[in-house]
Amino acid sequence: MTTPSSLHRPHRRAVLAAGLGALAATPAGAADKPFSLADWTRYETRLRARLADAAGEAFDDPAAREILTLTNSVRARARAGACVWHPGLAETARAHAADLASRRYVEHLSPEGFDPSHRLWLVERRMIGSASENIAYRRASQATTPQQLMTLWRRSPKHWENLLSPKHTHAGFGIVRAEDRTYLVGLYAHPAAALAEPLPFRLSDPATIWRTLQGLPANLRGGVGAPQGAGAGPRGAEDDAASERRSGVYQLNVRRRLDARSYELIGGPIFVWS
């Protein structure tokens, strides 16, 4: 399986209208589709709304926590190391699970084309890094248990490999129940760093950006550029300047030095500059 920080187009999977379950698993990837400012703001608003009310359906937070317990149990047997619950990953997972239930689809890409990394960078406002995502869906006349959802993943080599990856150090899960339908979203990551404070989604003062970057490890250098995996942005080049930017959608990116001649670019929160 590719690393969580790699950019790949997620494999789209159709919703199974009937049957016991559906699955989708992929590392967070890029849709490579140019989105407008309105696209970004509408999707961010949708995710926040889904966190607030699950579109009239029900979050099952105790079951989501049990998924972490079950995950760490099988990871221990595989000597993969336990994952720590990450609130930002869990919020992102909850938002997508609620969106799946609301619009009745089972895919990593939203109907608009946004992928798991986009969701993470819109919802989680402090984490630097990307995530891998697992999805499970089950329809049954009786309540689906966490063990049954885990069994769906166990039967899929790609899901199980993602769940057991020793590269993951943190995880978060969201479960939404909608009558006879149950949607589970899991996110796994190895965060590169955390910002000093949450970065607001809407910004107009460059000092806010640099304040959030205080305290980053010495091998990381913060900058601002177009959102990763979203086609051409307002400016295509990653740079350190913010005060001269025109209105648009940008991403806080961090460069991590690999050696004397190369570095990797790691994504952080996406924001609207005005």
Side-chain angles (χ1 to χ4, degrees), residues 2-24:
T2 50
T3 62
S5 61
S6 63
L7 295 179
H8 285 251
R9 184 186 303 274
H11 182 253
R12 297 185 67 99
R13 296 172 184 267
V15 176
L16 296 186
L20 287 181
L23 294 167

Side-chain angles (χ1 to χ4, degrees), residues 7 19 42 54 67 99 144-145 150 158 169 173-174 178 213 238 267:
L7 295 179
R42 279 195 296 264
I67 293 291
D99 194 44
T144 296
T145 66
M150 286 286 287
K158 183 180 291 187
T169 59
F173 302 92
L213 292 172
E238 191 274 341

Side-chain angles (χ1 to χ4, degrees), residues 12-13 15 31 33 35 39 42-43 46-47 50 95-96 98-116 118-119 135:
R12 297 185 67 99
R13 296 172 184 267
V15 176
K33 170 184 176 181
F35 298 110
D39 291 333
R42 279 195 296 264
Y43 191 55
R46 170 178 288 277
L47 292 174
R50 295 291 72 81
H96 191 45
D99 194 44
L100 298 178
S102 172
R103 296 197 273 183
R104 297 200 174 202
Y105 70 104
V106 184
E107 295 190 27
H108 296 290
L109 287 181
S110 75
E112 300 86 356
F114 292 104
D115 68 35
H118 294 143
R119 283 189 288 278
I135 296 174

Side-chain angles (χ1 to χ4, degrees), residues 2-7 27-30 89 115-118 120-121 124 127-133 167-170 187-193 228 251 256 264-268:
T2 50
T3 62
S5 61
S6 63
L7 295 179
L89 293 173
D115 68 35
S117 281
H118 294 143
L120 177 67
W121 295 329
E124 164 53 25
M127 180 177 141
I128 301 296
S130 59
S132 295
E133 182 178 83
K167 297 177 182 178
H168 302 321
T169 59
H170 293 73
L187 285 175
Y188 314 88
H190 186 166
Q228 296 181 28
Q251 182 172 18
R256 178 161 57 191
E264 65 176 328
L265 192 64
I266 307 172

Side-chain angles (χ1 to χ4, degrees), residues 136-225:
Y137 162 82
R138 190 171 188 271
R139 187 173 184 179
S141 58
Q142 296 182 334
T144 296
T145 66
Q147 290 81 0
Q148 288 171 322
L149 293 168
M150 286 286 287
T151 297
L152 289 175
W153 284 347
R154 186 187 292 273
R155 291 172 178 170
S156 165
K158 183 180 291 187
H159 287 81
W160 210 239
E161 180 182 3
N162 197 25
L163 185 149
L164 293 177
S165 172
K167 297 177 182 178
H168 302 321
T169 59
H170 293 73
F173 302 92
I175 293 179
V176 170
R177 299 188 184 277
E179 298 178 344
D180 61 346
R181 296 172 288 122
T182 302
Y183 300 83
L184 164 62
V185 176
L187 285 175
Y188 314 88
H190 186 166
L195 300 176
E197 60 185 68
L199 185 72
F201 179 62
R202 291 175 173 81
L203 285 174
S204 58
D205 181 5
T208 303
I209 296 175
W210 308 132
R211 190 169 60 246
T212 66
L213 292 172
Q214 298 303 306
L216 285 179
N219 66 329
L220 300 180
R221 181 180 178 184
V224 173

